[in-house]
Amino acid sequence: MTRALTRKGEATRARIVAGAAAEIRERGVDEVRLEDVMARTGTSKGQLFHYFPDGKDGLLLAVAQHEADQVLIDQEPMLSNLTSWPAWLAWRDRLIERYLAQGVKCPLNGLLGQTGRRAPGAQAIVTGLMWRWQKAITDGIRHMQSTGDIAADVDADRAAAALLAGIQGGVLLLLSTGKIDHLEAVLDLTIDSLRAGARTGGS
């Protein structure tokens, strides 16, 4: 049974995770040692193992969760406010900006490769990220349906799933080729399709 942390304990754990994430972004997951994280965060070996009894594996999973959360944080406040077409386009621009800045090095991808994508902990992180991301898009589509800006007969869940799958494909191609074109294309064409459906359906 996991022991609940005090507020100070939560802050210490968060500091360790943030420090480890920064080390990994700067140097790569394969090059980072626990000693590097301890030096950066000013924590002792005892403290580190207090919060991460499984050592580096447990810490890497915590950093992977941190990076997964950051994927969504970087899209805010746009992702939670898909209530008009200008808001959708602002979200589109924020997403492109985020992945252009990230380039071909994806911290989360590297971390999950290190921890093992099929490990239950890693799968749970990816599943949770995709569920939250898809739900935010679904909520946006449903809001736009309520205002008549997206056709009522659109299956919001399936449309959001298709858009998220397209985003993931665009990101994968960016990591492989260094080009953002595919991500731009799937966002632009999907948003245009949702808008067009409302125009034709309302006439």
Side-chain angles (χ1 to χ4, degrees), residues 61 115-127:
L61 273 178
T115 58
R117 292 179 183 278
R118 296 183 182 179
Q123 285 187 332
I125 289 169
V126 174
T127 299

Side-chain angles (χ1 to χ4, degrees), residues 161-191:
L163 177 50
L164 181 55
I167 291 169
Q168 291 305 300
V171 171
L172 180 61
L173 285 164
L174 169 64
L175 296 176
S176 302
T177 68
K179 295 182 178 180
I180 199 77
D181 310 50
H182 304 89
L183 182 56
E184 290 177 331
V186 73
L187 287 166
D188 292 342
L189 290 174
T190 304
I191 292 172

Side-chain angles (χ1 to χ4, degrees), residues 29-111:
V29 65
D30 294 329
E31 300 299 321
V32 173
R33 304 170 304 157
L34 292 180
E35 290 79 6
D36 301 320
V37 177
M38 290 157 53
R40 185 171 192 131
T41 59
T43 53
S44 66
K45 187 174 182 179
Q47 279 182 304
L48 193 147
F49 278 89
H50 171 74
Y51 295 108
F52 304 99
D54 295 331
K56 189 173 182 180
D57 286 346
L59 178 58
L60 289 180
L61 273 178
V63 175
Q65 183 64 66
H66 170 84
E67 292 291 357
D69 293 341
Q70 197 63 47
V71 170
L72 300 182
I73 291 169
D74 287 348
Q75 298 175 56
E76 296 296 354
M78 291 75 172
L79 181 60
S80 297
N81 189 40
L82 298 174
T83 56
S84 68
W85 290 122
W88 277 78
L89 295 178
W91 169 64
R92 177 262 186 212
D93 291 345
R94 173 63 65 86
L95 202 57
I96 295 297
E97 178 185 318
R98 181 198 189 278
Y99 282 104
L100 275 174
Q102 176 182 280
V104 298
K105 292 184 178 180
C106 175
L108 182 58
N109 190 57
L111 282 160

